[in-house]
Each structure stands twice: as C-alpha cells, then as structure tokens.
Amino acid sequence: MTAKVNLADLAEEMQAQSEGWHPFLHKPTGELVGVTDEMLSGSDDDASLDDYPEWEREGIELAKRINETDEYIALPDKWDIHEYSMMEDFCLSIENEKTRDSFLRAIRGKGAFRRFRDIAERFGLIDDWYKFRDEAYEEFAKEWCEENDISYTREPREMGE
C-alpha cells in the first residue's frame, strides 16, 4: 500500500527539478527523495562504498535501493510536464484581448520564457502567473497520482516546512 503524498509537496518537487537531479516517491512512506546522476552511476558500479567519500555513501545506498526495488517511482521530468503549455494556458485565460495578444506574441520563438516573465512583470500579472502555475502543477501532480494509484492529500503544510 502507498502512503499519502501531499500534493503541494509533490508539485513543489516537480517544479524544482534541475539537470542531473532525479526525484522519486518512496511509495510505502510517501517520502520524496532524490539522487544525482553521480549517485545513480555510483550505484551501478561494483566499487565498494568505502571507495566513496562518506558524504556520498548515503546517496549511493539510496540509488541502489531505487534501482533494486519497486518501492520507488520516478517523478515526471520537465519534458513530461510541459510548463510552456501552462504559460500558453495562462495567456489564453487573460480576458483583455490586447493584453492576451501581447502575451501570446511574447511566448513565440526562442527566449519565450524570459519574455513571458518580463511581460508578466510589466503588466503586473507576475503574481497571478505564479498562482496559476502553482495550481497547474498541483493539478498535474493530482493526475499523476491518480494514474499511478498513489493516494494523496491536499492538507496545508505547517509554516516553516
């Protein structure tokens, strides 16, 4: 059985992905964990853990558990999430036609993300964008959980978490 995962935490982890970092959900506990490319490659080689610095051993042990058990499931990566589509949906949600057209022009071609942020700031809609994006990530996380038979909760997190 899978423990419940907090959708806000899951969505935040999906947003925070970076090159060389691989986030996973530990299904029995609902804990979100991650390993680097180096940890994964270290888990594959036959070297002893003693061959690695102490600070790296825990990560390599985790990577071995990820590779050797079915207790972990990889979170979707940025290619699965399509933040560009979220930007486009945000643009289409803008009621003022001129503003909407300005946003849609801004997201075409190379540099779309930078231009989008610039125009959102210029029009005073950056906070609206962040709220929209957070909600879209949470919805994506909910759908991912349902597709993977993972229980979830929407419980608010405690301050300082």
Side-chain angles (χ1 to χ4, degrees):
M1 175 151 158
T2 303
K4 285 186 178 181
V5 63
N6 185 304
L7 281 182
D9 292 340
L10 182 59
E12 186 176 299
E13 187 68 33
M14 288 177 178
Q15 284 185 53
Q17 291 187 45
S18 62
E19 197 70 32
W21 180 252
H22 307 278
F24 292 85
L25 172 69
H26 184 238
K27 294 186 286 187
T29 64
E31 180 184 10
L32 296 166
V33 299
V35 293
T36 64
D37 288 336
E38 292 81 14
M39 292 171 185
L40 286 170
S41 65
S43 72
D44 287 338
D45 73 36
D46 294 330
S48 166
L49 280 176
D50 295 335
D51 296 339
Y52 292 93
E54 189 171 329
W55 60 268
E56 215 172 357
R57 293 176 191 160
E58 187 176 324
I60 292 172
E61 289 173 340
L62 173 59
K64 283 185 182 200
R65 287 193 304 276
I66 288 169
N67 286 331
E68 294 171 358
T69 72
D70 61 355
E71 293 183 350
Y72 296 87
I73 184 170
L75 270 57
D77 63 21
K78 65 182 180 177
W79 305 111
D80 298 320
I81 295 171
H82 305 290
E83 193 166 313
Y84 180 87
S85 294
M86 291 178 194
M87 285 187 338
E88 191 171 42
D89 290 344
F90 177 78
C91 295
L92 294 170
S93 76
I94 297 171
E95 291 182 21
N96 181 290
E97 186 177 346
K98 282 184 142 181
T99 303
R100 180 178 53 244
D101 290 346
S102 295
F103 270 80
L104 288 169
R105 277 192 306 276
I107 65 170
R108 300 295 177 230
K110 188 174 181 173
F113 286 90
R114 179 190 45 78
R115 284 192 311 276
F116 175 84
R117 181 178 166 79
D118 290 348
I119 199 167
E121 287 177 350
R122 188 173 60 212
F123 278 92
L125 296 175
I126 195 72
D127 290 338
D128 293 341
W129 158 243
Y130 289 141
K131 183 176 188 280
F132 185 94
R133 183 191 63 187
D134 291 347
E135 290 171 358
Y137 265 99
E138 194 165 311
E139 181 62 25
F140 185 90
K142 176 184 163 234
E143 291 170 7
W144 180 81
C145 285
E146 290 171 354
E147 289 169 8
N148 290 284
D149 296 321
I150 295 168
S151 299
Y152 58 87
T153 180
R154 290 184 187 259
E155 293 175 16
R157 293 177 284 173
E158 296 294 323
M159 292 300 289
E161 279 191 56

